Amino acid sequence: MLFVSLLKPKGKGEEAVKYLKELKAPKGVTVRGVYFTFGQYDGVIIFEAPDMKAAMNFVMQVGFATQYTMETLTAVPATEV
């Protein structure tokens, strides 16, 4: 399953940026990309996880470590619709 997490900072600043640059996914989760953005959200993580539980655990790990507020969406490839 593919997921997109949108991030809004609420805490650690430079420490959170460093964490995201060096982000290591837990076993079973593959990070496809981490991006810093301008606009409503300041960061995006695109990742794959085998199921919703693994995705939730990963999002909680990142959110707690960075103090970012995260909104995570399930991404469905257009070819599968």
Side-chain angles (χ1 to χ4, degrees), residues 6-80:
L6 307 171
L7 297 91
K8 284 185 179 183
K10 64 174 189 176
K12 295 186 176 183
E14 288 182 28
E15 187 180 330
V17 169
K18 182 179 182 206
Y19 176 88
L20 290 172
K21 284 182 175 181
E22 300 170 354
L23 185 61
K24 303 286 188 255
K27 186 176 182 178
V29 173
T30 302
V31 174
R32 288 204 176 173
V34 177
Y35 304 90
F36 295 103
T37 58
F38 296 103
Q40 183 177 356
Y41 298 96
D42 292 331
V44 176
I45 301 171
I46 301 170
F47 67 98
E48 286 184 74
D51 53 41
M52 295 294 258
K53 183 176 179 182
M56 182 179 67
N57 288 337
F58 177 62
V59 168
M60 288 177 23
Q61 169 192 328
V62 172
F64 289 146
T66 62
Q67 294 182 358
Y68 274 90
T69 298
M70 298 176 70
E71 181 177 343
T72 301
L73 311 167
T74 303
V76 179
T79 56
E80 294 183 20

